[in-house]
Amino acid sequence: MGPYRSVAKPLLFSLPPEAAHRVAQRMLGLPLPWRRIGGVVRDDALAVTLAGIELRNPVGLAAGFDKTGRHLDALGRLGFGYVVGGTFTERPRIGNPKPRIVRIPERSSMVNAMGLPNPGAEAAAETLARVRRTSPRFASLADQSLEEVLRTHALLEPHVDALELNVSCPNVSWGRDRDNEAHLGDLLRELGGRRSKPLFVKLPPFRSAVEREVVLALAAIAHEGGAEALTCSNTRLIPEARLSTGAGGLSGADLFEGTLENVAAVRRATGGELPVNASGGIFSATDALACIEAGATTVQVYSGLIYRGPRIVRELTRGLAEALRPRGLSVPAVVGTAQPTP
């Protein structure tokens, strides 16, 4: 079972979710042997290229775990192929009122209504400038007004390898009453002449035919607008009476089947021309391989790190290597090889 699941997890889960997260963040600030703790498997079969960025393995840390960027060095040493800091906004945000996270342990899931608390782009840039880079690192950039996005992007881009534009957070009111497709097109057009690093677009999930049309339209706009990759998908908005807002974004194992469907649909819609980062409910090497075969170049974990602990990076990389090596395959060779569902 390991020390995290037998000792640390019961202790952390005895605390309210945000208190447990603060404890985890403090631990990441300690000079512990994070590489040994992570125990990642290094194998050439796991190496992938994402928008020109060489990754030692396809397992990334999703946005939201390190909202300040202070601990990306320790998280990189755990062995992630890349880490995503933020999400960051131009000005500091305290987020929504508490309570704003609830766990659903029996389903290895969570619901959050954090509202993007973060120190603001200027403070984040100062942090990233001094934090050691131990793996490729990206910054999640919130979709705000055009001018705010441009200023935030200019502050953060020098300190990261790529940026992920979050156009799909369900816990903020931005964009609910505007033409999101036109807005995304405007953002990409204005950023196109200013940026020098890859830009990814994080899409919302879909469940219905109407939602599917919206997501695929956003994917097409991102593709046409020059985005270098797509992330599928963000959390899914659901009602949750235990949260102060009455609703929040569902994450964790409950999302996995939807993640597979979203990845496959977006890959087909873009003709396989854009790499896809799968995000949502990935807890095992079997999950990761299924996402890759559905069309993902990389997978991102968050809830899996909370429920399974830091050794999840080792479990995913070891399991992928063991699945691929005997067949003489590599991760790039199996991307998108799953047969489409009739």
Side-chain angles (χ1 to χ4, degrees):
M1 182 180 291
Y4 177 82
R5 291 166 209 172
S6 61
V7 178
K9 181 182 172 183
L11 290 173
L12 290 171
F13 273 53
S14 70
L15 300 172
E18 287 199 62
H21 197 78
R22 286 194 296 272
V23 171
Q25 296 290 304
R26 291 192 186 103
M27 291 181 66
L28 286 167
L30 299 176
L32 298 177
W34 295 112
R35 284 191 176 87
R36 190 159 70 246
I37 291 170
V40 67
V41 170
R42 297 181 181 274
D43 192 307
D44 290 344
L46 303 181
V48 297
T49 301
L50 176 63
I53 303 166
E54 300 295 328
L55 307 177
R56 59 194 169 194
N57 66 65
V59 182
L61 175 67
F65 190 85
D66 185 352
K67 297 175 176 64
T68 65
R70 294 173 188 157
H71 304 299
L72 295 182
D73 56 345
L75 291 163
R77 288 199 297 272
L78 279 176
F80 285 104
Y82 63 90
V83 291
V84 185
T87 295
F88 300 116
T89 55
E90 184 191 17
R91 291 182 294 275
R93 287 179 58 88
I94 61 172
N96 291 325
K98 298 178 182 179
R100 49 192 186 179
I101 307 178
V102 296
R103 303 185 186 103
I104 314 175
E106 66 275 14
R107 305 207 309 260
S108 296
S109 297
M110 302 184 297
V111 187
N112 92 84
M114 294 297 291
L116 303 182
N118 75 97
E122 186 173 353
E126 291 173 358
T127 296
L128 292 170
R130 65 174 181 267
V131 169
R132 184 182 175 193
R133 194 174 308 207
T134 53
S135 70
R137 66 186 187 191
F138 311 152
S140 175
L141 170 64
D143 172 18
Q144 308 159 85
S145 72
L146 177 59
E147 293 74 18
E148 288 172 311
V149 170
L150 295 177
R151 288 192 291 266
T152 304
H153 182 276
L155 284 165
L156 297 177
E157 190 188 49
H159 308 293
V160 295
D161 298 291
L163 291 109
E164 183 178 80
L165 181 59
N166 180 354
V167 300
S168 50
C169 178
N171 296 318
V172 292
S173 59
W174 307 322
R176 292 179 187 168
D177 298 317
R178 72 182 174 206
D179 185 339
N180 287 323
E181 295 177 18
H183 182 64
L184 177 58
D186 291 342
L187 288 174
L188 293 170
R189 183 175 60 255
E190 292 298 324
L191 284 169
R194 292 169 167 83
R195 63 188 181 88
S196 59
K197 306 277 181 70
L199 181 70
F200 310 153
V201 173
K202 188 167 188 175
L203 299 169
F206 65 76
R207 298 186 76 190
S208 68
V210 171
E211 291 173 343
R212 178 190 176 101
E213 284 186 23
V214 170
V215 169
L216 296 186
L218 290 171
I221 291 166
H223 189 193
E224 294 164 6
E228 282 86 1
L230 301 169
T231 299
C232 300
S233 303
N234 216 318
T235 58
R236 187 174 79 229
L237 186 65
I238 64 168
E240 175 49 72
R242 290 173 290 177
L243 298 173
S244 66
T245 55
L250 176 68
S251 63
D254 281 349
L255 295 185
F256 179 68
E257 292 303 322
T259 298
L260 286 179
E261 184 180 359
N262 280 240
V263 166
V266 166
R267 178 178 170 84
R268 287 195 300 270
T270 56
E273 295 179 9
L274 283 183
V276 175
N277 309 308
S279 179
I282 296 155
F283 278 67
S284 69
T286 301
D287 296 341
L289 184 58
C291 287
I292 292 166
E293 290 175 339
T297 296
T298 79
V299 299
Q300 297 182 358
V301 300
Y302 184 151
S303 298
L305 179 60
I306 291 171
Y307 278 100
R308 301 191 65 80
R311 275 296 174 101
I312 190 172
V313 196
R314 178 176 185 267
E315 292 167 3
L316 296 185
T317 53
R318 181 179 63 183
L320 285 171
E322 289 176 349
L324 296 172
R325 270 295 180 194
R327 295 184 283 162
L329 297 174
S330 64
V331 169
V334 298
V335 172
T337 57
Q339 294 298 315
T341 303

